[in-house]
Amino acid sequence: MDLAAVRAVLDASCGVRWEEGDAWLAGGTWLFSTPQPEISRLWDLARMDWQPLVVSEGGLEIAATCTVAELLAFALQPDGPWPDARALMADCCRAFSSSFKVWNTATVGGNVCLALPAAPMVSLAVALHGVCVLRAADGRDRQLPVGDFVTGAGRTCLRPGEMLRCLRLRAAGLAQRTVMRRASLRPGGHSAALVIAASALDDPGQVTFTLTAATPRPVHLSFPRTPTAAGLRAAIEQAVDATGIVDDAHGSPAWRRHLIHHLAEEARQALETEN
Ligand SMILES: Cc1cc2nc3c(=O)[nH]c(=O)nc-3n(C[C@H](O)[C@H](O)[C@H](O)COP(=O)(O)OP(=O)(O)OC[C@H]3O[C@@H](n4cnc5c(N)ncnc54)[C@H](O)[C@@H]3O)c2cc1C
């Protein structure tokens, strides 16, 4: 893809002077896949030299520049912390409609900031109660829950010149049992609906459901104890009516609405059986 309007590609690690028409460049798997007539300069994040994954007692920090392949390698380590959460990470990495070739370049941050409804890194981070660390042009950081950061299909709270620095997943969010269910029009295709049910390991009664791909922005439902099938259905209806349903080439709204209920009920039953 020729980006005909781009005049310069600049190294963000050398200091950034943000202007109108600027954009961050991460893996470029989306930026270079479609015309970008409104972009005149790219600030390349490749040399930021951020450690991709930092494990601490407090949890896990995933740098925005961590690639999907790096996250998958971490998730597949035979011995490591948070086995349940890492199994979910692996499932979410595999939920891209792209192949491993794209995973080697595509970044977690690029996926979250692109904020497509079918962004599996958003699904993952919301289900694990993740927080975005956003860095302004003056170097100041602010934090937002990932579920609030994504405001619609392809829309986020990013301000001009602000970048996503990392995702923070706290130990409490990582200590959850999770069940993921996903459907697409063809095997390995773009997700039409993706549901993650999660319960705290130390309090299995507390359950959350994260609905993505079928809704323009993530829907996160919390229950003080495992809901009944009817209770879950009613809560989903109410929440989804508020956000609306995605209508695009990857699935009709009626089918997606059916899928959300079907997958959520499957996940609810699986979680109940495991608990
Ligand atoms: C074959 C194929 C299949 C794909 N399948 C999927 C899919 O199933 N689901 C999906 O969600 N996407 C999919 N994509 C789109 C894209 O590849 C992914 O979303 C990828 O994770 C984007 O990451 P990137 O590092 O390449 O981002 P880039 O293309 O570099 O950037 C994407 C956007 O995010 C901004 N950005 C990047 N990093 C930051 C940052 N740190 N701070 C602020 N803004 C930033 C950029 O300015 C740009 O607007 C697919 C792409 C291809 C080519």
Side-chain angles (χ1 to χ4, degrees):
M1 167 66 56
D2 287 334
L3 297 186
V6 173
R7 294 182 279 108
V9 180
L10 304 153
D11 184 351
S13 70
C14 297
V16 174
R17 290 157 310 283
W18 195 262
E19 291 176 6
E20 206 181 320
D22 286 1
W24 301 111
L25 167 63
T29 58
W30 175 78
L31 270 173
F32 295 153
S33 72
T34 184
Q36 308 283 357
E38 73 291 354
I39 296 180
S40 47
R41 301 196 308 177
L42 289 169
W43 288 100
D44 191 356
L45 298 170
R47 294 207 192 136
M48 296 307 275
D49 213 19
W50 295 328
Q51 199 174 328
L53 295 144
V54 181
V55 176
S56 69
E57 265 188 20
L60 176 67
E61 193 172 282
I62 308 174
T65 45
C66 175
T67 63
V68 175
E70 285 168 331
L71 184 63
L72 182 61
F74 169 77
L76 295 178
Q77 278 172 16
D79 304 307
W82 317 298
D84 288 280
R86 286 190 302 114
L88 178 66
M89 282 173 205
D91 284 345
C92 288
C93 289
R94 296 191 185 104
F96 278 88
S97 60
S98 53
S99 71
F100 67 92
K101 285 180 275 186
V102 174
W103 301 349
N104 282 319
T105 313
T107 65
V108 173
N111 188 249
V112 172
C113 292
L114 191 53
L116 298 178
M121 299 297 104
V122 172
S123 320
L124 171 72
V126 175
L128 298 181
H129 313 314
V131 167
C132 290
V133 179
L134 306 172
R135 184 155 295 170
D138 64 5
R140 263 187 271 185
D141 286 350
R142 66 180 174 121
Q143 300 196 12
L144 269 185
V146 181
D148 293 341
F149 174 71
V150 177
T151 55
R155 292 208 318 267
T156 68
C157 291
L158 274 176
R159 297 169 181 157
E162 196 174 40
M163 66 162 80
L164 175 65
R165 166 63 186 85
C166 63
L167 297 181
R168 273 198 193 131
L169 305 177
R170 296 196 185 96
L174 289 159
Q176 294 190 92
R177 182 167 291 119
T178 60
V179 175
M180 178 177 130
R181 291 288 185 271
R182 168 179 177 266
S184 53
L185 276 174
R186 59 175 177 79
H190 206 82
S191 300
L194 195 154
V195 174
I196 299 170
S199 65
L201 288 175
D202 60 357
D203 183 2
Q206 272 204 0
V207 176
T208 60
F209 287 82
T210 303
L211 320 176
T212 47
T215 50
R217 57 172 297 190
V219 169
H220 190 67
L221 302 169
S222 302
F223 300 88
R225 62 183 70 87
T226 312
T228 60
L232 176 60
R233 195 175 179 84
I236 290 176
E237 274 302 327
Q238 197 181 11
V240 165
D241 279 349
T243 60
I245 299 257
V246 176
D247 182 5
D248 65 15
H250 304 291
S252 70
W255 181 58
R256 289 182 195 252
R257 185 179 284 273
H258 165 76
L259 281 178
I260 298 174
H261 286 297
H262 179 71
L263 299 178
E265 177 53 18
E266 265 194 18
R268 187 192 71 85
Q269 287 182 17
L271 207 58
E272 211 167 38
T273 311
E274 282 180 25
N275 285 338

